[in-house]
Amino acid sequence: MSQVYLNGAFMAPQDAHISPMDRGFLFADGIYEVIPAYNGVLFRFEEHLARLERSLGEIQIDNPHSREQWRELCEALIERNGGGNLSLYLQITRGATEKRDHAFPNPPVTPTVFMMTGNIAVPAADSPDTATGSKAITLDDIRWARCDIKSVSLLPNSLLRQQAVAAGASEAILLRDGFVTEGSASNVFIVANGTVITPPKSHEILGGITRDLVVELCHSHHIPVEEREITESQLRQADEIWFTSSTREVVPVIQLNNVTVGNGKPGPLWKTVARHYVSFKRRLCGHQDQE
């Protein structure tokens, strides 16, 4: 049976309960992280913890644990759930209060800490020669102005992702004032004339851990890469389109708004970057026997 972690204890999921007065439940007043583990080894753990610390700081919640404590807890939960290839979901809310009030509780209450794991599907990057690619649509970015905070307030993202699913696509690429921001649950890359391009970090996008790794890999393997704004026109005319996330890794888009991207197959630069990504992952975590 799988186990979860809640406020200092490991337990079965059905035994995990929070107060209805928890501010995460009432106000979406909290943040989260999703950390992949391969062969039981947490992938890019320090980078994920740095982003968690930043998100906590931006919404003024004191970090309840040191990095060493977080690592011990995360590794213990991975082990209790059998190791292997798992995604670890970690959520921290401001905690439960005696009354509902928009203002932060004063004095502060104890944050609620919850963690669970899930299986990771085989990413497209693991089989670049047989990957078929995904479909995407474009939608207006209806989210708030602080998308750089990994907030649990994900209703706009859910609505956008559902529109994509209803249209037979796997992701929505978001546009704000004529420029690409990111996906509903991913970062976006394009390839134009041999150069990999992704929007720069700002309050309008979440700085993805996989996004940053792809940029690093391009630099280290001398693949031209730029972090700059992408117009809607440039997106539609791109030779290749990718999206990235911690669990889906690097995914090629072969159709945008029912129009073929490139030749309708995962592009050559995506295949190159996918191979570099898998090699990097295996150096850190060993070879994964995907389920």
Side-chain angles (χ1 to χ4, degrees), residues 9 27 48 70 79 93 102 105 123 127 138 144 173 220 231 235 252 264 280 286:
F27 296 109
H48 280 282
W70 278 123
E79 183 177 357
T93 75
H102 283 69
S127 305
T138 56
W144 72 322
I173 296 177
S220 62
T231 66
L235 174 70
F280 181 91

Side-chain angles (χ1 to χ4, degrees), residues 168-220:
S170 62
E171 183 58 298
I173 296 177
L174 309 182
L175 301 167
R176 183 173 295 188
D177 299 325
F179 292 92
V180 174
T181 51
E182 56 186 341
S184 65
S186 63
N187 291 114
V188 176
F189 288 76
I190 68 167
V191 175
N193 299 319
T195 298
V196 178
I197 307 168
T198 191
K201 292 182 182 179
S202 70
H203 284 179
E204 295 181 348
I205 75 167
L206 180 70
I209 305 303
T210 304
R211 171 202 179 276
D212 291 351
L213 177 54
V214 168
V215 171
E216 289 176 26
L217 291 172
C218 287
H219 283 304
S220 62

Side-chain angles (χ1 to χ4, degrees), residues 148-170:
D148 56 309
I149 300 171
K150 200 166 178 67
S151 162
V152 297
S153 181
L154 292 174
L155 179 58
N157 302 67
S158 296
L159 293 172
L160 292 162
R161 181 68 173 277
Q162 183 56 39
Q163 282 185 258
V165 170
S170 62

